[in-house]
Coordinates of all heavy atoms in Angstrom, one line a residue:
M11 N 68.2 96.1 64.3 CA 68.9 97.0 65.1 C 70.4 97.1 64.6 O 71.0 96.0 64.5 CB 68.8 96.5 66.5 CG 69.6 97.3 67.5 SD 69.6 96.8 69.3 CE 68.0 96.1 69.5
N12 N 70.8 98.3 64.4 CA 72.2 98.4 63.9 C 73.2 98.4 65.2 O 72.7 98.5 66.3 CB 72.4 99.6 63.0 CG 72.2 100.9 63.7 OD1 72.4 101.0 64.9 ND2 71.7 101.9 63.0
T13 N 74.5 98.4 64.9 CA 75.5 98.4 65.9 C 75.4 99.6 66.9 O 75.5 99.4 68.1 CB 76.9 98.3 65.3 OG1 76.9 97.1 64.5 CG2 77.9 98.2 66.4
A14 N 75.2 100.8 66.3 CA 75.1 102.0 67.2 C 73.9 101.9 68.1 O 74.0 102.3 69.3 CB 75.0 103.2 66.3
E15 N 72.7 101.4 67.6 CA 71.6 101.3 68.5 C 71.8 100.2 69.6 O 71.4 100.4 70.7 CB 70.3 100.9 67.7 CG 69.8 102.0 66.7 CD 68.8 101.5 65.7 OE1 68.8 100.3 65.4 OE2 67.9 102.3 65.4
L16 N 72.4 99.1 69.2 CA 72.7 98.1 70.2 C 73.6 98.6 71.3 O 73.4 98.4 72.5 CB 73.3 96.9 69.5 CG 73.7 95.7 70.4 CD1 72.5 95.2 71.1 CD2 74.3 94.6 69.5
K17 N 74.7 99.3 70.9 CA 75.6 99.9 71.9 C 74.9 100.8 72.8 O 75.0 100.8 74.0 CB 76.7 100.7 71.2 CG 77.8 99.9 70.5 CD 78.8 100.8 69.9 CE 79.9 100.1 69.2 NZ 80.9 101.0 68.7
S18 N 74.0 101.7 72.3 CA 73.2 102.6 73.1 C 72.4 101.9 74.1 O 72.3 102.2 75.3 CB 72.4 103.5 72.3 OG 73.2 104.4 71.5
K19 N 71.7 100.8 73.7 CA 70.8 100.0 74.6 C 71.6 99.3 75.6 O 71.2 99.3 76.8 CB 70.0 99.0 73.8 CG 68.9 99.7 73.0 CD 67.9 98.7 72.3 CE 66.8 99.5 71.6 NZ 65.8 98.6 71.2
L20 N 72.8 98.8 75.2 CA 73.6 98.1 76.2 C 74.2 99.1 77.2 O 74.2 98.8 78.4 CB 74.8 97.4 75.5 CG 74.4 96.1 74.8 CD1 75.6 95.6 73.9 CD2 73.9 95.0 75.7
I21 N 74.6 100.2 76.8 CA 75.1 101.2 77.7 C 74.1 101.7 78.7 O 74.3 101.8 79.9 CB 75.7 102.5 76.9 CG1 77.0 102.0 76.2 CG2 75.9 103.7 77.9 CD1 77.5 103.0 75.2
A22 N 72.8 101.9 78.2 CA 71.7 102.3 79.1 C 71.5 101.2 80.1 O 71.2 101.5 81.3 CB 70.5 102.5 78.3
K23 N 71.5 99.9 79.7 CA 71.3 98.8 80.7 C 72.4 98.7 81.7 O 72.1 98.5 82.9 CB 71.1 97.5 79.9 CG 69.8 97.4 79.2 CD 69.7 96.1 78.4 CE 68.4 96.0 77.7 NZ 68.2 94.7 76.9
I24 N 73.6 98.9 81.2 CA 74.7 98.9 82.2 C 74.6 100.0 83.2 O 74.9 99.8 84.4 CB 76.1 98.9 81.4 CG1 76.3 97.6 80.6 CG2 77.2 99.2 82.3 CD1 77.4 97.6 79.6
M25 N 74.3 101.2 82.7 CA 74.2 102.3 83.6 C 73.0 102.1 84.6 O 73.1 102.6 85.7 CB 74.0 103.6 82.8 CG 75.2 104.0 82.0 SD 76.7 104.3 82.9 CE 76.2 105.7 83.9
A26 N 72.0 101.4 84.2 CA 70.8 101.2 85.1 C 71.0 100.1 86.2 O 70.3 100.1 87.1 CB 69.6 100.9 84.3
T27 N 72.0 99.2 86.0 CA 72.2 98.1 86.9 C 73.1 98.5 88.1 O 74.1 99.2 87.9 CB 72.6 96.8 86.2 OG1 72.6 95.8 87.2 CG2 74.1 96.9 85.7
D28 N 72.8 97.9 89.2 CA 73.7 98.0 90.4 C 74.2 96.6 90.7 O 74.8 96.4 91.8 CB 73.0 98.6 91.6 CG 72.7 100.0 91.4 OD1 73.5 100.8 90.8 OD2 71.6 100.5 91.8
D29 N 74.0 95.6 89.9 CA 74.4 94.2 90.1 C 75.9 94.1 89.8 O 76.4 94.0 88.7 CB 73.6 93.3 89.2 CG 73.9 91.8 89.5 OD1 75.0 91.5 90.0 OD2 73.0 91.0 89.2
H30 N 76.7 94.1 90.9 CA 78.1 94.1 90.8 C 78.6 92.9 90.1 O 79.5 93.0 89.2 CB 78.8 94.2 92.2 CG 80.2 94.3 92.2 ND1 80.9 95.5 91.9 CD2 81.2 93.4 92.5 CE1 82.2 95.3 91.9 NE2 82.4 94.1 92.3
H31 N 78.1 91.7 90.4 CA 78.5 90.5 89.7 C 78.2 90.5 88.2 O 79.1 90.0 87.5 CB 77.8 89.3 90.4 CG 78.2 89.1 91.8 ND1 79.5 88.9 92.2 CD2 77.5 89.1 93.0 CE1 79.5 88.8 93.5 NE2 78.3 89.0 94.0
L32 N 77.1 91.0 87.8 CA 76.8 91.1 86.4 C 77.8 92.0 85.7 O 78.3 91.7 84.6 CB 75.4 91.7 86.2 CG 75.0 91.9 84.7 CD1 75.0 90.6 83.9 CD2 73.6 92.5 84.7
L33 N 78.1 93.2 86.3 CA 79.1 94.1 85.8 C 80.5 93.5 85.6 O 81.2 93.7 84.7 CB 79.1 95.4 86.6 CG 77.9 96.2 86.6 CD1 77.9 97.3 87.6 CD2 77.6 96.8 85.2
L34 N 80.8 92.6 86.6 CA 82.1 91.9 86.5 C 82.1 91.0 85.4 O 83.1 90.8 84.7 CB 82.4 91.2 87.9 CG 82.8 92.0 89.1 CD1 82.9 91.2 90.3 CD2 84.1 92.7 88.8
K35 N 81.0 90.3 85.2 CA 80.9 89.3 84.1 C 81.0 90.1 82.7 O 81.7 89.6 81.8 CB 79.7 88.5 84.2 CG 79.8 87.5 85.3 CD 78.5 86.6 85.4 CE 78.6 85.7 86.6 NZ 77.6 84.7 86.6
I36 N 80.3 91.2 82.6 CA 80.4 92.0 81.4 C 81.8 92.4 81.1 O 82.3 92.4 80.0 CB 79.4 93.2 81.4 CG1 77.9 92.7 81.4 CG2 79.6 94.1 80.3 CD1 76.9 93.7 81.8
N37 N 82.4 92.9 82.2 CA 83.8 93.3 82.0 C 84.7 92.2 81.6 O 85.6 92.4 80.7 CB 84.3 93.9 83.4 CG 85.7 94.6 83.3 OD1 85.9 95.4 82.4 ND2 86.6 94.2 84.1
T38 N 84.6 91.0 82.2 CA 85.3 89.9 81.8 C 85.2 89.6 80.3 O 86.1 89.4 79.5 CB 85.0 88.6 82.6 OG1 85.2 88.9 84.0 CG2 85.7 87.4 82.1
L39 N 83.9 89.6 79.8 CA 83.6 89.3 78.4 C 84.3 90.3 77.5 O 84.9 90.0 76.5 CB 82.1 89.2 78.2 CG 81.7 88.7 76.8 CD1 82.2 87.4 76.5 CD2 80.2 88.7 76.8
L40 N 84.1 91.6 77.9 CA 84.7 92.6 77.0 C 86.2 92.5 77.0 O 86.9 92.8 76.0 CB 84.3 94.0 77.5 CG 82.8 94.3 77.2 CD1 82.4 95.6 77.9 CD2 82.4 94.3 75.8
N41 N 86.9 92.2 78.1 CA 88.3 92.0 78.2 C 88.7 90.9 77.3 O 89.8 90.9 76.6 CB 88.8 91.8 79.6 CG 88.8 93.1 80.4 OD1 88.8 94.2 79.8 ND2 88.8 93.0 81.7
C42 N 88.0 89.8 77.3 CA 88.3 88.6 76.5 C 88.2 89.0 75.0 O 89.1 88.6 74.2 CB 87.3 87.5 76.7 SG 87.5 86.8 78.4
K43 N 87.3 89.8 74.6 CA 87.1 90.2 73.2 C 88.4 91.0 72.8 O 88.9 90.9 71.7 CB 85.9 91.1 73.0 CG 85.7 91.7 71.7 CD 85.6 90.7 70.6 CE 85.4 91.4 69.2 NZ 85.7 90.5 68.1
M44 N 88.9 91.9 73.7 CA 90.0 92.7 73.4 C 91.3 91.8 73.1 O 92.1 92.2 72.3 CB 90.3 93.7 74.5 CG 89.3 94.8 74.7 SD 89.6 95.8 76.1 CE 91.2 96.5 75.6
Y45 N 91.3 90.6 73.8 CA 92.5 89.8 73.6 C 92.2 88.6 72.8 O 92.9 87.6 72.8 CB 93.0 89.3 75.0 CG 93.5 90.5 75.8 CD1 92.7 91.0 76.9 CD2 94.6 91.2 75.5 CE1 93.2 92.0 77.6 CE2 95.1 92.3 76.2 CZ 94.3 92.7 77.3 OH 94.7 93.8 78.0
N46 N 91.1 88.6 72.0 CA 90.7 87.6 71.1 C 90.6 86.2 71.7 O 91.0 85.2 71.2 CB 91.7 87.5 69.9 CG 91.6 88.7 69.0 OD1 90.6 89.3 68.8 ND2 92.8 89.2 68.6
E47 N 90.0 86.2 72.9 CA 89.8 84.9 73.7 C 88.4 84.7 74.1 O 88.1 84.2 75.1 CB 90.7 84.9 74.9 CG 92.2 85.0 74.7 CD 93.0 85.1 76.0 OE1 92.4 85.3 77.0 OE2 94.2 84.9 75.8
V48 N 87.5 85.1 73.2 CA 86.0 85.1 73.6 C 85.6 83.7 73.8 O 84.9 83.4 74.8 CB 85.2 85.8 72.4 CG1 83.7 85.6 72.7 CG2 85.5 87.2 72.3
D49 N 85.9 82.7 73.0 CA 85.4 81.4 73.1 C 85.9 80.8 74.5 O 85.2 80.1 75.2 CB 85.9 80.5 72.0 CG 85.2 80.8 70.7 OD1 84.1 81.4 70.7 OD2 85.8 80.4 69.6
K50 N 87.1 81.1 74.8 CA 87.7 80.6 76.1 C 87.0 81.2 77.3 O 86.8 80.6 78.3 CB 89.2 80.9 76.1 CG 90.0 80.5 77.3 CD 91.4 80.9 77.2 CE 92.2 80.7 78.4 NZ 93.6 81.1 78.3
C51 N 86.6 82.5 77.1 CA 86.0 83.2 78.3 C 84.5 83.0 78.4 O 84.0 83.2 79.5 CB 86.3 84.7 78.1 SG 88.0 85.1 78.3
L52 N 83.8 82.6 77.4 CA 82.4 82.5 77.5 C 82.0 81.5 78.6 O 81.1 81.7 79.3 CB 81.8 82.0 76.1 CG 81.6 83.1 75.1 CD1 81.1 82.6 73.8 CD2 80.6 84.2 75.6
S53 N 82.8 80.4 78.7 CA 82.5 79.4 79.8 C 82.7 80.0 81.1 O 82.0 79.8 82.1 CB 83.3 78.2 79.6 OG 84.7 78.5 79.7
S54 N 83.7 80.9 81.3 CA 84.0 81.5 82.6 C 83.0 82.5 83.0 O 82.7 82.8 84.2 CB 85.4 82.1 82.6 OG 85.5 83.2 81.8
V55 N 82.3 83.2 82.0 CA 81.3 84.2 82.3 C 80.1 83.5 83.0 O 79.5 84.2 83.8 CB 80.9 84.9 81.0 CG1 79.7 85.8 81.2 CG2 82.1 85.8 80.5
N56 N 79.8 82.3 82.6 CA 78.7 81.6 83.2 C 79.0 81.1 84.6 O 78.1 80.6 85.3 CB 78.2 80.5 82.3 CG 77.6 81.0 81.1 OD1 77.0 82.0 81.1 ND2 77.9 80.3 80.0
E57 N 80.3 81.0 85.0 CA 80.6 80.6 86.4 C 80.3 81.7 87.4 O 80.4 82.9 87.1 CB 82.1 80.2 86.4 CG 82.5 79.0 85.5 CD 84.0 78.8 85.5 OE1 84.7 79.5 86.2 OE2 84.4 77.9 84.7
P58 N 80.0 81.3 88.6 CA 79.7 82.3 89.7 C 81.0 83.1 90.0 O 82.1 82.5 89.9 CB 79.2 81.5 90.9 CG 79.7 80.1 90.6 CD 79.8 79.9 89.1
V59 N 80.9 84.3 90.3 CA 82.0 85.1 90.7 C 82.3 84.8 92.2 O 81.5 84.9 93.0 CB 81.7 86.6 90.5 CG1 82.8 87.5 91.0 CG2 81.4 86.9 89.1
L60 N 83.6 84.5 92.4 CA 84.0 84.3 93.8 C 84.4 85.6 94.5 O 85.1 86.4 93.9 CB 85.2 83.3 93.8 CG 85.0 81.9 93.3 CD1 86.3 81.1 93.3 CD2 83.9 81.2 94.0
Q61 N 83.9 85.8 95.7 CA 84.3 87.0 96.4 C 85.6 86.7 97.2 O 86.3 87.7 97.4 CB 83.1 87.3 97.4 CG 81.9 87.8 96.7 CD 80.9 88.3 97.7 OE1 80.6 87.6 98.7 NE2 80.3 89.4 97.4
F62 N 85.8 85.5 97.6 CA 87.0 85.2 98.4 C 87.7 84.0 97.8 O 87.1 83.1 97.4 CB 86.6 84.9 99.8 CG 85.8 85.9 100.5 CD1 84.5 85.8 100.6 CD2 86.4 87.1 101.0 CE1 83.7 86.8 101.2 CE2 85.7 88.1 101.6 CZ 84.3 87.9 101.7
E63 N 89.0 84.1 97.7 CA 89.8 83.0 97.1 C 90.1 81.9 98.2 O 90.2 80.8 97.8 CB 91.1 83.5 96.5 CG 90.9 84.4 95.3 CD 92.1 84.8 94.7 OE1 93.2 84.3 95.0 OE2 92.1 85.7 93.8
S64 N 90.1 82.3 99.5 CA 90.4 81.3 100.5 C 89.8 81.8 101.8 O 89.4 83.0 101.9 CB 91.9 81.1 100.6 OG 92.5 82.3 101.1
V65 N 89.8 80.9 102.8 CA 89.3 81.3 104.1 C 90.4 81.1 105.1 O 91.2 80.1 105.1 CB 88.1 80.3 104.5 CG1 87.7 80.5 105.9 CG2 87.0 80.4 103.5
R66 N 90.6 82.2 105.9 CA 91.7 82.2 106.9 C 91.2 81.7 108.2 O 90.2 82.2 108.7 CB 92.2 83.6 107.0 CG 93.2 83.8 108.1 CD 94.6 83.3 107.8 NE 95.6 83.9 108.6 CZ 96.0 83.5 109.7 NH1 95.4 82.4 110.2 NH2 97.0 84.1 110.4
I67 N 91.8 80.6 108.7 CA 91.4 80.1 110.0 C 92.4 80.6 111.0 O 93.6 80.4 110.9 CB 91.4 78.5 110.0 CG1 90.5 78.0 108.9 CG2 91.0 78.0 111.4 CD1 89.1 78.3 109.0
F68 N 91.9 81.3 112.0 CA 92.8 81.9 113.0 C 93.2 80.8 114.1 O 92.4 79.9 114.4 CB 92.1 83.0 113.8 CG 91.8 84.2 112.9 CD1 90.5 84.5 112.6 CD2 92.9 84.9 112.3 CE1 90.3 85.6 111.8 CE2 92.6 86.0 111.5 CZ 91.3 86.3 111.2
S69 N 94.4 80.9 114.6 CA 94.8 80.0 115.7 C 94.1 80.5 116.9 O 93.5 81.6 117.0 CB 96.3 80.1 115.9 OG 96.7 81.4 116.4
E70 N 94.1 79.7 118.0 CA 93.5 80.0 119.2 C 94.1 81.3 119.8 O 93.3 82.2 120.3 CB 93.6 78.9 120.3 CG 92.8 77.7 120.0 CD 92.9 76.7 121.1 OE1 93.1 77.0 122.2 OE2 92.7 75.5 120.7
E71 N 95.4 81.5 119.7 CA 96.0 82.7 120.2 C 95.6 84.0 119.4 O 95.3 85.0 119.9 CB 97.5 82.6 120.1 CG 98.3 83.8 120.6 CD 98.1 84.1 122.1 OE1 97.5 83.3 122.9 OE2 98.4 85.2 122.5
E72 N 95.5 83.8 118.0 CA 95.1 84.9 117.2 C 93.7 85.3 117.5 O 93.3 86.5 117.6 CB 95.2 84.5 115.7 CG 96.7 84.4 115.2 CD 96.8 83.8 113.8 OE1 96.0 82.9 113.5 OE2 97.6 84.3 113.1
Q73 N 92.8 84.3 117.7 CA 91.4 84.6 118.0 C 91.3 85.2 119.3 O 90.4 86.1 119.5 CB 90.6 83.3 117.9 CG 89.1 83.5 118.0 CD 88.5 84.3 116.8 OE1 88.7 84.0 115.7 NE2 87.9 85.4 117.1
R74 N 92.1 84.8 120.3 CA 92.0 85.4 121.6 C 92.4 86.9 121.5 O 91.8 87.8 122.1 CB 93.0 84.7 122.6 CG 93.0 85.2 124.0 CD 94.1 84.6 124.9 NE 95.4 85.1 124.5 CZ 95.8 86.4 124.7 NH1 95.1 87.2 125.3 NH2 97.0 86.7 124.4
K75 N 93.4 87.2 120.7 CA 93.9 88.6 120.6 C 92.8 89.4 119.9 O 92.5 90.6 120.2 CB 95.2 88.7 119.8 CG 96.4 88.2 120.7 CD 97.7 88.3 119.9 CE 98.8 87.8 120.7 NZ 100.1 87.8 120.0
I76 N 92.1 88.8 118.9 CA 91.1 89.5 118.2 C 89.9 89.8 119.1 O 89.4 90.9 119.1 CB 90.6 88.7 116.9 CG1 91.7 88.7 115.9 CG2 89.3 89.3 116.4 CD1 91.4 87.7 114.8
N77 N 89.5 88.8 119.9 CA 88.4 89.0 120.9 C 88.8 90.1 121.9 O 87.9 90.9 122.3 CB 88.1 87.7 121.5 CG 87.5 86.7 120.6 OD1 87.0 87.0 119.5 ND2 87.5 85.4 121.0
L78 N 90.0 90.1 122.4 CA 90.5 91.1 123.3 C 90.4 92.5 122.7 O 89.9 93.4 123.3 CB 91.9 90.8 123.8 CG 92.5 91.8 124.7 CD1 91.7 92.0 126.0 CD2 93.9 91.5 125.1
A79 N 90.8 92.6 121.5 CA 90.8 93.9 120.8 C 89.4 94.4 120.6 O 89.0 95.6 120.8 CB 91.5 93.8 119.4
L80 N 88.5 93.5 120.2 CA 87.1 93.8 120.0 C 86.4 94.3 121.4 O 85.7 95.2 121.4 CB 86.3 92.7 119.5 CG 86.5 92.3 118.0 CD1 85.9 91.0 117.6 CD2 86.0 93.5 117.1
E81 N 86.8 93.6 122.4 CA 86.3 93.9 123.8 C 86.8 95.3 124.2 O 86.0 96.2 124.7 CB 86.7 92.9 124.8 CG 86.2 93.1 126.2 CD 86.6 92.0 127.1 OE1 86.7 90.8 126.7 OE2 86.9 92.4 128.3
Q82 N 88.0 95.6 123.9 CA 88.6 96.9 124.2 C 87.9 98.0 123.4 O 87.6 99.1 123.9 CB 90.1 96.9 124.0 CG 90.9 96.1 125.0 CD 92.4 96.0 124.6 OE1 92.7 96.0 123.4 NE2 93.2 95.8 125.6
Y83 N 87.7 97.7 122.1 CA 87.0 98.7 121.3 C 85.6 99.0 121.8 O 85.2 100.1 121.9 CB 87.0 98.2 119.8 CG 86.2 99.1 118.9 CD1 86.7 100.3 118.4 CD2 84.9 98.8 118.6 CE1 86.0 101.1 117.6 CE2 84.1 99.6 117.8 CZ 84.7 100.8 117.3 OH 83.9 101.6 116.5
N84 N 84.9 97.9 122.1 CA 83.5 98.1 122.6 C 83.4 98.8 123.9 O 82.4 99.5 124.2 CB 82.8 96.7 122.7 CG 82.5 96.1 121.3 OD1 82.3 96.8 120.4 ND2 82.5 94.8 121.3
N85 N 84.5 98.7 124.7 CA 84.5 99.4 126.0 C 85.1 100.8 125.9 O 85.3 101.5 126.9 CB 85.4 98.6 127.0 CG 84.7 97.3 127.4 OD1 83.5 97.2 127.4 ND2 85.5 96.3 127.8
G86 N 85.4 101.2 124.6 CA 85.9 102.6 124.4 C 87.4 102.7 124.8 O 87.9 103.8 125.0
E87 N 88.1 101.6 125.0 CA 89.5 101.6 125.4 C 90.4 101.7 124.1 O 91.3 100.9 123.9 CB 89.8 100.4 126.1 CG 89.0 100.2 127.4 CD 89.1 98.8 128.0 OE1 90.0 98.1 127.6 OE2 88.3 98.5 128.9
C88 N 90.1 102.7 123.3 CA 90.9 102.9 122.1 C 91.0 104.4 121.8 O 90.3 105.2 122.3 CB 90.4 102.1 121.0 SG 88.7 102.5 120.6
I89 N 91.9 104.7 120.9 CA 92.0 106.1 120.4 C 91.9 106.1 118.9 O 92.2 105.1 118.2 CB 93.3 106.8 120.9 CG1 94.6 106.1 120.4 CG2 93.3 106.9 122.4 CD1 95.9 106.8 120.7
S90 N 91.6 107.3 118.3 CA 91.6 107.4 116.8 C 93.0 107.3 116.3 O 94.0 107.6 116.9 CB 90.8 108.7 116.4 OG 91.7 109.8 116.8
D91 N 93.0 107.1 115.0 CA 94.3 107.1 114.3 C 94.9 108.5 114.4 O 96.1 108.7 114.6 CB 94.1 106.8 112.8 CG 95.4 106.8 112.0 OD1 96.3 106.0 112.4 OD2 95.5 107.6 111.1
E92 N 94.1 109.6 114.3 CA 94.6 110.9 114.4 C 95.3 111.2 115.8 O 96.3 111.7 115.8 CB 93.4 111.9 114.2 CG 93.9 113.4 114.2 CD 92.7 114.3 113.9 OE1 91.9 114.0 112.9 OE2 92.5 115.2 114.7
E93 N 94.6 110.7 116.8 CA 95.2 110.8 118.2 C 96.5 110.1 118.3 O 97.4 110.6 118.9 CB 94.2 110.3 119.2 CG 92.9 111.2 119.4 CD 92.0 110.6 120.4 OE1 92.2 110.8 121.6 OE2 91.0 109.9 119.9
A94 N 96.5 108.9 117.7 CA 97.7 108.1 117.8 C 98.9 108.7 117.1 O 100.0 108.8 117.5 CB 97.5 106.7 117.2
Q95 N 98.6 109.3 115.9 CA 99.6 110.0 115.1 C 100.2 111.2 115.9 O 101.4 111.5 115.9 CB 99.1 110.5 113.8 CG 98.7 109.3 112.8 CD 99.9 108.5 112.5 OE1 101.1 108.9 112.4 NE2 99.7 107.2 112.4
K96 N 99.3 111.9 116.6 CA 99.7 113.1 117.5 C 100.6 112.6 118.6 O 101.7 113.2 118.9 CB 98.5 113.8 118.0 CG 97.8 114.6 117.0 CD 96.6 115.3 117.7 CE 95.8 116.1 116.6 NZ 94.5 116.6 117.2
E97 N 100.3 111.5 119.2 CA 101.1 110.9 120.3 C 102.5 110.5 119.8 O 103.5 110.8 120.4 CB 100.4 109.7 121.0 CG 99.3 110.1 121.9 CD 98.7 108.9 122.7 OE1 99.4 107.9 122.7 OE2 97.6 109.0 123.2
I98 N 102.5 109.8 118.6 CA 103.7 109.4 118.0 C 104.6 110.6 117.7 O 105.8 110.6 118.0 CB 103.5 108.5 116.8 CG1 102.8 107.2 117.2 CG2 104.8 108.3 116.0 CD1 102.3 106.4 116.0
Q99 N 104.0 111.6 117.1 CA 104.8 112.8 116.8 C 105.3 113.5 118.0 O 106.5 113.9 118.0 CB 103.9 113.8 116.0 CG 104.6 114.9 115.4 CD 105.6 114.5 114.4 OE1 105.4 113.5 113.6 NE2 106.8 115.1 114.4
A100 N 104.6 113.5 119.1 CA 105.0 114.1 120.4 C 106.2 113.3 120.9 O 107.2 113.8 121.4 CB 103.9 114.1 121.4
W101 N 106.1 111.9 120.8 CA 107.2 111.1 121.3 C 108.5 111.3 120.5 O 109.6 111.3 121.0 CB 106.9 109.6 121.2 CG 105.8 109.2 122.2 CD1 105.5 109.7 123.4 CD2 104.9 108.1 122.0 NE1 104.4 109.1 124.0 CE2 104.1 108.0 123.1 CE3 104.7 107.1 121.0 CZ2 103.1 107.1 123.3 CZ3 103.8 106.1 121.2 CH2 103.0 106.1 122.3
L102 N 108.3 111.5 119.2 CA 109.5 111.7 118.3 C 110.1 113.0 118.5 O 111.4 113.1 118.3 CB 109.1 111.5 116.8 CG 108.6 110.1 116.4 CD1 108.1 110.1 114.9 CD2 109.8 109.1 116.5
E103 N 109.4 114.0 118.9 CA 109.9 115.3 119.1 C 110.7 115.4 120.5 O 111.5 116.3 120.7 CB 108.8 116.4 119.1 CG 108.3 116.5 117.7 CD 107.1 117.5 117.7 OE1 106.6 118.0 118.7 OE2 106.5 117.7 116.6
D104 N 110.5 114.5 121.4 CA 111.2 114.5 122.7 C 112.6 114.0 122.6 O 113.1 113.3 121.8 CB 110.4 113.7 123.7 CG 109.2 114.4 124.2 OD1 109.1 115.6 124.0 OD2 108.3 113.6 124.7

């Protein structure tokens, strides 16, 4: 298989996949090639892709406020962004 055929097959496989993590790994490998760091990057391609760098732990007060906001939302005690913008504009015009 020559280079052109290999490229075509790889492009077809990339277009056919919906695996986001695989696509990220392919992107990483191709970026490494561009910067001549393939050997360094090959080990990182085999590592799992992290979705989150850290976990945020809320304080009791923050969690209380979040719970209150969720309760208000679930009870329909909220307005849309569009409505809020109209109210703000009306206040500014007074």
Side-chain angles (χ1 to χ4, degrees):
M11 174 182 328
N12 65 31
T13 302
E15 292 170 328
L16 180 57
K17 284 182 180 181
S18 293
K19 287 186 177 192
L20 287 172
I21 290 168
K23 288 179 181 180
I24 290 170
M25 294 301 294
T27 188
D28 290 323
D29 185 334
H30 186 75
H31 296 298
L32 176 60
L33 294 170
L34 287 173
K35 288 180 180 188
I36 292 168
N37 188 53
T38 299
L39 186 57
L40 291 174
N41 285 338
C42 290
K43 174 63 177 158
M44 290 176 63
Y45 298 108
N46 295 319
E47 297 178 348
V48 174
D49 291 339
K50 181 178 171 184
C51 291
L52 280 175
S53 61
S54 69
V55 169
N56 292 325
E57 295 174 4
V59 176
L60 297 177
Q61 291 183 316
F62 304 100
E63 290 184 13
S64 63
V65 175
R66 171 78 158 87
I67 306 295
F68 297 113
S69 69
E70 286 184 31
E71 180 63 15
E72 290 170 326
Q73 189 63 55
R74 186 190 68 73
K75 289 179 180 180
I76 290 168
N77 292 341
L78 176 61
L80 288 171
E81 184 178 322
Q82 290 172 334
Y83 174 79
N84 289 331
N85 292 334
E87 301 170 11
C88 58
I89 61 173
S90 69
D91 180 61
E92 185 177 309
E93 291 175 82
Q95 292 301 323
K96 286 178 184 176
E97 285 186 18
I98 292 168
Q99 192 59 40
W101 291 334
L102 293 174
E103 290 173 0
D104 288 341

